[in-house]
Amino acid sequence: MNGYLIKLFFVFSFFYPVQFLTAQIEWPPITQTSKPWTRWWWQGSAVDEPGLKTTMKWYQEAGLGGLEIAPIYGVQGQEKLFINYLTPAWMDRFSFVLSEAKKLNLGIDM
């Protein structure tokens, strides 16, 4: 039985395409959408431009492709820093994030 398997192996090895054995794997290019993304909680939307810029730079340097913004409830005791969702002040922060994301090649989702 073992002799039969060895002969079978040699027969098939002649028919097996040599170029398949030596082919290199061609990986697709790494893009923003092929990198991992993460959820970015804006607690109480208590965000400011310097903090947003720094945080986005850290995410980009860590190799992320994008961020999903999730405006959620805030931290108790920090109410004075909250920015109401979709107010002009909130939209200013969101516009800032979109412009910074473009510079850093980060995707933004909500």
Side-chain angles (χ1 to χ4, degrees), residues 49-109:
E49 289 184 6
L52 291 169
K53 185 174 185 172
T54 300
T55 303
M56 291 176 72
K57 183 69 175 154
W58 288 342
Y59 282 140
Q60 186 262 346
E61 289 172 354
L64 293 178
L67 308 165
E68 177 201 343
I69 297 172
I72 63 169
Y73 55 86
V75 176
Q76 189 174 5
Q78 298 297 310
E79 291 84 1
K80 65 182 186 298
L81 301 175
F82 293 0
I83 301 170
N84 290 328
Y85 182 61
L86 297 180
T87 61
W90 193 94
M91 292 303 294
D92 286 343
R93 298 303 195 296
F94 185 64
S95 294
F96 176 78
V97 163
L98 293 177
S99 66
E100 285 299 308
K102 191 171 188 170
K103 293 176 193 174
L104 296 170
N105 193 29
L106 287 171
I108 298 294
D109 195 12

